[in-house]
Structures are given as structure tokens and as C-alpha cells.
Amino acid sequence: MQCSTSYSRVSTDLVHCRATWPAGQRRAVSHNARAIIGRSVVRSDATAVKERPRPGEKKGFVEEMRMAAMRLHTRDQAPKDGSRPEEKPEDQPVRQWTPSRAGYLRFLAESKAVYDTLEQIVEAAPKSEYAKFRNTGLERSAPLARDIQWLQKTYDLPSPEVSADGPGAEYASALKQLAADDPAAFICHFYNFYFAHTAGGRMIGRKVAEVILDNKTLDFYQWDGEVKDKLAAVKDKINELAETWTREQKDHCLEETNKSFQHSGAILRTITASEE
């Protein structure tokens, strides 16, 4: 409306000014003014209607989430899409890590604290839309409990301590708050935590097992049935939920990706903790 009003004023001024000009010049100015005003209004309308699509948007919102996550990977972690430089200990290639059994046991315990919370939130469904993510087949609390018990018994390790100020408890507390107050942000964390451990997480588990677990494949990295089918079903549910969001809510969800990586990275670093 501001654009149209402005150009109407310009048109009126031209009409008044041309009254003192010769007839031929008046006709030319009038024609040119109408052409300029018409083009400007059309251009203004097109800019308002056509908005540049976000990366991955045409394939569904989960693709937008995936691309946001990939931008936070290093080239070693994601050869095709990674673009972030190595800055932190967990950014180093896994082959360069020096894992410990005590550290890995703590990593499993800290991870379980987060999965316990995610599964409790989904079960309680403080927001009704969370209920659709129950019983997806991706749940990890029970497998992690078995792995923790196996690791303790096999290598005679003490029970891992998950302190209130540790990375697992801190993340769990943040998730509870987001689940109650910020559903779009919560879904970002839900997606990134579950999906990370079906991809890069499995690779890390395999490499660590080669070094300290005699190639043992933990239950944490095994699913009943095809995990790709379970992932596809969850992707469909997230895409369906995102269809009810505004563009602002979607962008807010994507902006939360960096925080999800910060929390996950803090947990991942426990793998290289020293033996006690």
C-alpha cells in the first residue's frame, strides 16, 4: 500500500506539471508515467509474494533439518556436506581418539540420562503432538541399560556416576524446559539426538569397539528390524507436524540445531575420559 500511494502521488504531480507543456510533450510524459508506475507496482507485488525457498525446503522440513545439521559437521565427519573447520576435541577423526573403557561407560550412562528424559517426555506428552513419537522403534533406554550392565560385568568397572552437573543431566533439564515451553525447539533436539546415533554414532561405536571392546557390537547400535524404515516413519511424522507450523516456527527450530550439537558434543567428549 505504501508503494502504490507513493506512485499515485508522483502521477498526480506529473499531471499538474504537464498542464503548462505543449500537447505532444504532455501525451509522451503521461504515457511514460503510466508505464513506470505499472512496472514498479508489479515489481513490488512480485517481491512481496515470491520468497526465496530455504535449502532443502522443497523436499520437506526434515531435509531442512538435515542440511542445518550437516553444516555443523566437519569434512571428515560428513565428506559430502560438512563445512565446519575442526575446532574441538570431538572434531578430530575418530581414528585419532584415545578412548577408555571408563570413559565409554560414562558416555553410555550420560546418553541414557538423555534418552530416559526424551522417552518420558514423549510418553507424558505435555504437548499433544509429542504423542505421535511414542513407540517409534528408535527408543534406546533399554538397550543402553543392558550395555552398561555388560560393560561393568565384563571389565569389572564401577557403576558410572551421572552427576547433577554432568552433561547428561544438564541436557535432560534443558529438554524438559523446552518440551514444556518451546515445542519447535524440542523437536529439533529430538530429531538430532535420535538420528545422530543411527548414523555417525554407529560409526563412532564401531571404531571405539575395535580399540577397547574386542569388536563387540553393543545393543545401543542395534535395532529390531530395519532402522532405515523406522527413521523414514519418524521423518514423515516430523514433516507432518511441521506442516502446522509457521515459517517463523520452522526457522526457530532450525536455529536450535547448534545448541543440540553443543549438548551432544559435551556428552561425546566423555568417551576419552581417563581410566579411574
Side-chain angles (χ1 to χ4, degrees), residues 122-136:
V122 167
E123 186 60 33
K127 302 294 182 182
S128 59
E129 58 264 38
Y130 301 159
K132 66 175 62 188
F133 299 106
R134 293 173 183 160
N135 303 316
T136 63

Side-chain angles (χ1 to χ4, degrees), residues 61-73 114-115 118 121-122 129-130 133 138 171 174-175 177-197 234-235 237-239 241-242 245 247-264:
F61 185 62
V62 169
E63 180 62 14
E64 291 187 60
M65 298 177 79
R66 188 192 72 80
M67 293 185 71
M70 287 299 101
R71 286 193 291 271
L72 296 178
H73 285 73
V114 178
Y115 278 114
L118 286 169
I121 289 171
V122 167
E129 58 264 38
Y130 301 159
F133 299 106
L138 297 180
Y171 197 8
L175 288 170
Q177 191 68 46
L178 290 175
D181 302 333
D182 196 342
F186 172 73
I187 291 299
C188 175
H189 289 270
F190 179 92
Y191 164 81
N192 279 294
F193 204 71
Y194 273 105
F195 280 55
H197 287 124
V234 173
K235 287 179 183 178
K237 293 178 187 295
I238 295 176
N239 280 332
L241 174 59
W245 292 349
R247 184 64 251 182
E248 288 73 19
Q249 287 174 301
K250 292 178 181 179
D251 289 341
H252 176 59
C253 176
L254 297 177
E255 289 165 0
E256 195 73 12
T257 305
N258 188 54
K259 291 182 182 178
S260 75
F261 271 60
Q262 290 174 355
H263 282 295
S264 295

Side-chain angles (χ1 to χ4, degrees), residues 40-73:
S40 300
V41 172
V42 170
R43 188 178 296 113
S44 177
D45 291 344
T47 302
V49 172
K50 187 176 180 181
E51 188 174 351
R52 196 172 188 178
R54 272 62 167 186
E57 185 176 4
K58 293 182 179 179
K59 293 184 178 180
F61 185 62
V62 169
E63 180 62 14
E64 291 187 60
M65 298 177 79
R66 188 192 72 80
M67 293 185 71
M70 287 299 101
R71 286 193 291 271
L72 296 178
H73 285 73

